[in-house]
Amino acid sequence: MTNSCSSVSTVLEKYFDQEVTDEEKLLVEGHLEDCPACQDVLKSMEELRTLMKVPVAEAVQKEDFPWVWQKIEREIRLQEKQPWWQSLRSWLDVTPLFRRKVWIPAVATAVVLLLFSTQIIFEKTPSYPDGSVVEYVQSQTDNVMVYQLEDPKVTVIWLFESPEEERTTT
Amino acid sequence: MNREETEMVSRCQQGDQEALKEIFEKYHKKVYSIAYGVVRQREEALDVVQEVFIKLFRSIKNFRGRSQFYTYLYRMVMNTAIDHKRKAGKQFMPSLDEEGSIQPSDDAEKGPERVLLQKELEERVKLAMDKLPAEQKAALIFRDVEGLSYQEMAEAMGCSIGTVMSRLHYGRKRMQESLKDYVKLPGQSRGVSTVSGR
């Protein structure tokens, strides 16, 4: 290195990194023409840069990235805490059992069955299996029970003299 | 930040995964490149890429737009990669000072030997970088591998331009010392061949 090297040493690295002003650039380039030592400094930095950069550039070129995104996406989905109704909704969306094609006929069938069963439940059922109809009339004084047999046609009227007596007899 | 990127970041801040995918499409190579520059190992670098984008999705709300988005992202990559490296560093790693490794050959132009030399050289560079303090390593990767300007580096590293220059200077000096068999030091003649011309 010559004495004049000290005048550019502070900006030589900036020059290498292309961060100098036009004025500094002229100064450094003027000096470099006659200074092999400073040329060596630059060359050394360039070699070092190549050593660091080339393997990285090669590694990037070799890599195939689409699957990386898939993994990221899956990981984010797993980590997300959904509210319970959203979890249920997404579960319904993915469960084949609850797809529209399945659940609409299923709900329709359930409604029809329910209608039938309510009719059966609320239907007046006779007290006797042979079709007799029983009526019961309650009053303050006496209680009356009437029942009819279909076959043979017989009507029976049963009179209870007072509720108290009924309670004791039953 | 241009309008398109501002919009993309803003959508991502609202939890839009599609926007994150756009960010991934735009930056994944750079992210991998920085990560690989630090860890110098494929699987580990890919792990860093994944971790960074997951982290980004969770923490992008904290980005206020005071700096360029990519410097915010690069900073996150650098921190994550250095963290990974630190964890992996607990495992055994041979030191640069250890003797007995393969010697560089003068006959490096021959095929298999050249490949071997390159492998050896890559390993040497990796070990030399591992020996650097994290800040100097980050400076070298941002500048010499990624080509960031001093201003961008200062943003990404959260320091002044003067500090950036200082970290670069000392980082390069240390690397040249560690790789003196491969990099010609100023004022010295090199005793062994180099493959820098590939």
Side-chain angles (χ1 to χ4, degrees), chain A residues 32-45:
Chain A
L32 280 173
E33 278 176 19
D34 303 319
C35 184
C38 285
Q39 285 173 19
D40 276 357
V41 172
L42 279 184
K43 217 179 274 177
S44 168
M45 285 193 282

Side-chain angles (χ1 to χ4, degrees), chain B residues 119-146:
Chain B
K119 287 269 175 211
E120 165 73 9
L121 191 51
E122 279 173 26
E123 191 57 27
R124 282 261 162 180
V125 173
K126 183 182 171 203
L127 292 171
M129 291 203 77
D130 286 348
K131 290 191 96 184
L132 291 178
E135 296 82 12
Q136 291 174 14
K137 190 193 286 187
L140 282 178
I141 290 167
F142 280 147
R143 177 61 225 169
D144 285 346
V145 178
E146 294 310 316

Side-chain angles (χ1 to χ4, degrees), chain B residues 56 151 193:
Chain B
L56 177 72
Q151 179 59 46
S193 66

Side-chain angles (χ1 to χ4, degrees), chain B residues 63-129:
Chain B
F63 175 67
R64 302 270 170 246
R66 289 187 199 125
S67 59
Q68 293 287 336
F69 172 70
Y70 64 85
T71 56
Y72 169 80
L73 178 63
Y74 292 176
R75 185 180 194 162
M76 190 181 279
V77 183
M78 187 55 77
N79 289 338
T80 310
I82 286 172
D83 212 36
H84 256 254
K85 192 74 202 167
R86 202 172 289 140
K87 282 176 197 163
K90 286 173 188 166
Q91 297 161 12
F92 170 73
M93 262 192 178
S95 158
L96 254 188
D97 302 323
E98 279 180 340
E99 297 293 334
S101 58
I102 306 163
Q103 291 301 308
S105 164
D106 284 333
D107 206 7
E109 291 306 308
K110 289 182 181 173
E113 283 185 33
R114 189 182 162 83
V115 171
L116 192 66
L117 181 62
Q118 279 181 6
K119 287 269 175 211
E120 165 73 9
L121 191 51
E122 279 173 26
E123 191 57 27
R124 282 261 162 180
V125 173
K126 183 182 171 203
L127 292 171
M129 291 203 77

